[in-house]
Amino acid sequence: MSDAVADGERPRVVVLGGGFAGIGATLKLKDAAVDVVVVDKHDYHTFQPLLYQLATGLLETTAVGHSLRDLVKDQDNATIHKAPVTAIDLDAKEVQFDGLAPIAYDYLVLALGAQVNFFGTEGADEHAFPMYTLPGAGRRRTRTARSSTTAR
């Protein structure tokens, strides 16, 4: 039990990541007697199954990217911060960030998502258009729009 809990304060749950797992965990804790702090490097949740529709111009960014604050607006025990994680000190039960003061936790949820892996394929990172993120799908959309215009 941490000092915060021993002192009679509510336990703090720090959720790293605002994707499906992070938001899912946060919403499950809505009625729990805890304080939930969600931290993501973006201030939005990406609905990845629709990224291809953003990339092809069928949807706008707002249909695929949703404000994290809006997703938990009715949850009084949740707060959202935008900052990249720089370190986790398991012994001190503290997470450090770039541009945000360290946050101590009683419980830690790691839900940081996926990263593109080109498995050492030379040139892939320079020339591929992965669609794991909103910016990635946006780059593909822009590239497709430019190609369509120049092909005419």
Side-chain angles (χ1 to χ4, degrees), residues 32-74:
V34 298
D35 292 318
V36 183
V37 180
V38 180
V39 185
D40 192 282
K41 65 182 176 181
H42 303 291
D43 59 356
Y44 56 85
H45 166 80
T46 302
F47 189 70
Q48 286 183 320
L50 294 180
L51 283 174
Y52 77 94
Q53 290 183 332
L54 173 64
T56 57
L58 296 173
L59 289 176
E60 294 300 319
T61 303
T62 54
V64 181
H66 305 281
S67 165
L68 291 174
R69 285 178 179 79
D70 283 351
L71 292 173
V72 299
K73 69 179 180 227
D74 296 327

Side-chain angles (χ1 to χ4, degrees), residues 72-90:
V72 299
K73 69 179 180 227
D74 296 327
Q75 188 166 339
D76 293 335
N77 68 341
T79 57
I80 304 290
H81 294 285
K82 177 185 171 187
V85 176
T86 58
I88 300 172
D89 186 335
L90 296 175

